[in-house]
Amino acid sequence: MMEKKLRHLPILLLTILLSIASCDKQEDIDRAYTDYRYDIVTYLGQNDKGAVFEYLGRGDSSAVRLQSNVSLNDEVKMHQRVLLRYDFADELTGESRSVNVYSCNAIVSDSLRMTNVSPDSIPCHEVKLRSLWRTGEFINLHCQVEYTAKSRSLMLVADGKTLTDDTVHCYLMHDLRGQRGTFWRDCYASFNVGALWKKPSFKCLRVHLNDLTYPRNQYYDFYK
């Protein structure tokens, strides 16, 4: 059943979103620039107190609910992954924490796609890798990409011919769509691989990418 679901996922074009989704309430500017953390989190919507997010640590860490007292604008959608700059509002611990939010940046937020084309046919333009890590059912990426004035494709695609293998080969598809890159800039992305991660036959997700930072490392493995 899970394999059938994966086979019907279309390959879509995504625009790299790097604009800041501003908050309605301003925080103390000194603290915002001296005491904060950056995390990729999931936006869960608004309640009567403000925007709510879910934080997952590396690997299979338990989820932590982050309750803020700010309201986000309509650019951020529910269940979208975002880059949050914040700090904790108190010293408490547990499954729910109050936070002070300083900024919320939209990033590439998508699910794993599937393709039956040859891996050699997948456009994999160069990136400069900074970090690639897993949090729960998400593969997260921090890299640099060449700036273009128009949109591009950036997604994680699985080779359909390997879906029944214990190691599923996935590729960071990066297509400038005919545009010429200029300077390098930071890019963050998060891909939900839950449909694959739950397959009984699955043991390892292998991510292939064209990386200028570590050119000898042609792929990275994430074991179940």
Side-chain angles (χ1 to χ4, degrees), residues 209 211-218:
L209 69 164
D211 175 34
L212 291 179
T213 306
Y214 309 103
R216 293 185 178 181
N217 297 340
Q218 298 182 359

Side-chain angles (χ1 to χ4, degrees), residues 167-187:
T167 297
V168 178
H169 292 257
C170 302
Y171 296 82
L172 182 65
M173 178 180 176
H174 184 206
D175 186 1
L176 298 189
R177 299 165 67 181
Q179 299 298 308
R180 183 187 178 101
T182 54
F183 60 91
W184 294 87
R185 65 181 299 176
D186 279 342
C187 172

Side-chain angles (χ1 to χ4, degrees), residues 9 15 17-18 35 72 85 90 97 102-103 126 129 151 153 159-160 167 182 187 189 200 206-207 217 223:
L9 287 175
T15 301
L17 301 176
L18 295 169
D35 189 2
L72 300 187
R85 188 163 69 89
D90 52 48
R97 301 287 304 273
Y102 303 128
S103 67
E126 298 166 336
L129 183 64
S151 62
S153 301
D159 181 356
T167 297
T182 54
C187 172
R206 178 165 292 176
V207 179
N217 297 340
Y223 291 93

Side-chain angles (χ1 to χ4, degrees), residues 26-167:
Q26 297 294 321
E27 299 291 344
D28 184 284
I29 189 168
D30 291 334
R31 185 172 180 81
Y33 284 96
T34 59
D35 189 2
Y36 63 86
R37 56 186 291 165
Y38 272 117
D39 284 311
I40 294 179
V41 299
T42 304
Y43 174 56
L44 299 182
Q46 305 267 153
N47 58 22
D48 56 349
K49 296 181 180 179
V52 182
F53 307 88
E54 182 181 70
Y55 165 79
L56 291 169
R58 290 180 180 256
D60 298 307
S61 302
S62 300
V64 178
R65 180 185 175 93
L66 305 179
Q67 175 67 65
S68 77
N69 62 349
V70 300
S71 297
L72 300 187
N73 58 36
D74 294 336
E75 294 177 15
V76 184
K77 307 301 180 184
M78 282 190 61
H79 305 301
Q80 182 177 345
R81 299 281 281 172
V82 296
L83 180 65
L84 196 68
R85 188 163 69 89
Y86 70 102
D87 71 349
F88 294 110
D90 52 48
E91 300 298 326
L92 301 177
T93 60
E95 298 179 353
S96 182
R97 301 287 304 273
S98 296
V99 295
N100 300 314
V101 172
Y102 303 128
S103 67
C104 179
N105 295 43
I107 66 173
V108 175
S109 179
D110 192 30
S111 296
L112 177 67
R113 305 292 174 175
M114 191 279 294
T115 181
N116 282 319
V117 304
S118 168
D120 294 335
S121 301
I122 299 175
C124 297
H125 193 75
E126 298 166 336
V127 300
K128 291 183 178 180
L129 183 64
R130 292 294 179 263
S131 184
L132 185 69
W133 72 102
R134 180 178 71 86
T135 55
E137 297 181 352
F138 297 95
I139 298 296
N140 307 294
L141 170 70
H142 176 203
C143 67
Q144 287 189 324
V145 298
E146 292 175 281
Y147 174 79
T148 62
K150 297 184 179 181
S151 62
R152 71 187 71 201
S153 301
L154 182 68
M155 62 191 75
L156 189 65
V157 297
D159 181 356
K161 298 180 180 63
T162 68
L163 284 180
T164 58
D165 300 340
D166 57 2
T167 297

